[in-house]
């Protein structure tokens, strides 16, 4: 295992795409590390002021200042889309046919707003993406066994018709539920027609794995995991 695979995790199937770079950072992958990896140093990095919104930013030129939002989408080669997480689910998407990528920040609020569904529809409208041929990678996030939520959260999902298979009753606390963040987003992706074989998942729990950052575990001391995806400047 080389140095960079220890610092961030990759999905093998995406790693084989010649014009793509991507990674889900561990706690050992820091902003300054981009400059030390030749393939990544050449990219122009774009990130957002993430606010648990469903705001999608289409990058057609390099923004002069940091925008608010929770999704980055681009077909601009040489642009590295960055999403930061600590328990929330980072999702990276690539459309190899139309050469476009997206990075999505999914917490329970974004999931409730169907942020992944809106992202995929945006790619369809903007680039003509075919859901059947997209590749979608779900990064590490807090597992349902560690993700306790109250009745209020469950009620909100119920009102939006998003309840099915997403909540489990808590093993010991009566008014609490366990929320399956990964499963909830996976269900939205599948519902749009992305084939199961095109959905990849790094099934690590940020709360249990000490190589990852967890807001629920570390609270205000929690760092942020840096997740990234981009199209290379000069594709082969
Ligand atoms: Zn856990």
């Amino acid at each position: 295992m080389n140095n960079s695979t220890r610092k961030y995790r990759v999905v093998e199937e995406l790693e084989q795409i010649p014009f793509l770079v991507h990674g889900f950072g561990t706690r050992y992958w820091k902003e300054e590390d981009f400059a030390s990896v030749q393939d990544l140093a050449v990219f122009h990095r774009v990130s957002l002021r993430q606010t648990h919104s469903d705001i999608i930013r289409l990058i057609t030129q390099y923004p002069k200042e940091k925008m608010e939002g929770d999704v980055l989408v681009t077909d601009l080669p040489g642009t590295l889309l960055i999403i930061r997480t600590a328990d929330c689910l980072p999702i990276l998407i690539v459309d190899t046919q139309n050469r476009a990528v997206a990075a999505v920040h999914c917490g329970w609020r974004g999931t409730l707003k169907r942020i992944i569904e809106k992202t995929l529809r945006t790619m369809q409208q903007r680039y003509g993406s075919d859901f059947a041929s997209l590749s979608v990678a779900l990064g590490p996030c807090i597992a349902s066994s560690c993700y306790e939520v109250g009745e209020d959260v469950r009620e909100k999902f119920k009102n939006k018709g998003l309840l099915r298979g997403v909540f489990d009753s808590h093993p010991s606390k009566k008014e609490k539920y366990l929320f399956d963040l990964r499963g909830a987003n996976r269900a939205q992706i599948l519902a749009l027609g992305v084939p199961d074989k095109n959905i990849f998942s790094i099934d690590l729990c940020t709360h249990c794995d000490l190589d990852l950052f967890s807001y629920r575990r570390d609270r205000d001391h929690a760092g942020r995991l840096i997740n990234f995806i981009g199209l290379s400047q000069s594709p082969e």
Side-chain angles (χ1 to χ4, degrees):
M1 191 180 280
N2 67 36
N3 198 37
S4 60
T5 50
R6 192 175 60 84
K7 289 188 166 187
Y8 57 82
R9 307 222 176 220
V10 296
V11 169
E12 207 48 55
E13 287 81 355
L14 268 61
E15 189 73 349
Q16 283 164 15
I17 301 169
F19 53 84
L20 188 77
V21 297
H22 81 288
F24 295 99
T26 68
R27 68 186 305 140
Y28 310 110
W29 180 250
K30 298 187 167 51
E31 191 77 43
E32 55 266 32
D33 292 330
F34 284 109
S36 65
V37 179
Q38 202 181 2
D39 289 350
L40 300 175
V42 295
F43 278 82
H44 186 104
R45 297 195 295 280
V46 180
S47 60
L48 295 167
R49 195 153 42 77
Q50 299 171 193
T51 57
H52 294 278
S53 69
D54 58 353
I55 299 171
I56 297 171
R57 298 293 184 183
L58 265 160
I59 305 303
T60 53
Q61 56 183 359
Y62 300 134
K64 289 188 181 66
E65 46 194 62
K66 206 174 221 184
M67 297 179 288
E68 179 188 340
D70 292 87
V71 182
L72 284 162
V73 185
T74 197
D75 63 352
L76 199 61
T79 310
L80 203 61
L81 308 179
I82 292 179
I83 287 293
R84 293 186 175 83
T85 51
D87 286 341
C88 285
L89 172 68
I91 302 183
L92 304 176
I93 306 166
V94 58
D95 175 348
T96 54
Q97 289 178 348
N98 300 291
R99 294 221 175 162
V101 288
V104 193
H105 170 230
C106 309
W108 72 259
R109 289 180 182 82
T111 305
L112 183 67
K113 292 169 186 161
R114 300 174 185 263
I115 191 168
I116 186 64
E117 185 182 318
K118 289 172 184 172
T119 303
L120 295 175
R121 288 195 192 284
T122 298
M123 293 181 78
Q124 183 187 48
Q125 285 156 15
R126 180 78 188 196
Y127 308 118
S129 298
D130 175 6
F131 295 148
S133 64
L134 291 177
S135 294
V136 183
L138 283 60
C141 73
I142 188 166
S144 59
S145 52
C146 291
Y147 201 179
E148 182 182 310
V149 296
E151 174 67 47
D152 54 323
V153 174
R154 186 176 178 273
E155 198 63 29
K156 288 186 171 80
F157 276 79
K158 190 180 173 184
N159 294 339
K160 293 271 164 94
L162 289 171
L163 204 53
R164 199 151 55 99
V166 171
F167 292 89
D168 265 326
S169 51
H170 195 280
S172 57
K173 298 176 190 169
K174 223 175 171 183
E175 270 111 58
K176 296 288 184 183
Y177 294 89
L178 298 175
F179 176 55
D180 187 356
L181 179 62
R182 182 181 303 276
N185 281 280
R186 192 188 184 91
Q188 289 184 26
I189 298 163
L190 283 169
L192 282 184
V194 177
D196 192 59
K197 66 174 176 60
N198 292 9
I199 305 173
F200 308 99
S201 191
I202 298 177
D203 294 330
L204 296 174
C205 175
T206 46
H207 195 260
C208 292
D209 191 328
L210 296 177
D211 286 340
L212 304 171
F213 289 127
S214 169
Y215 181 74
R216 288 212 162 196
R217 185 185 64 222
D218 305 330
R219 293 290 160 184
D220 292 339
H221 305 293
R224 294 292 180 272
L225 303 170
I226 303 172
N227 312 288
F228 58 91
I229 190 165
L231 301 163
S232 301
Q233 191 70 260
S234 48
E236 304 310 316

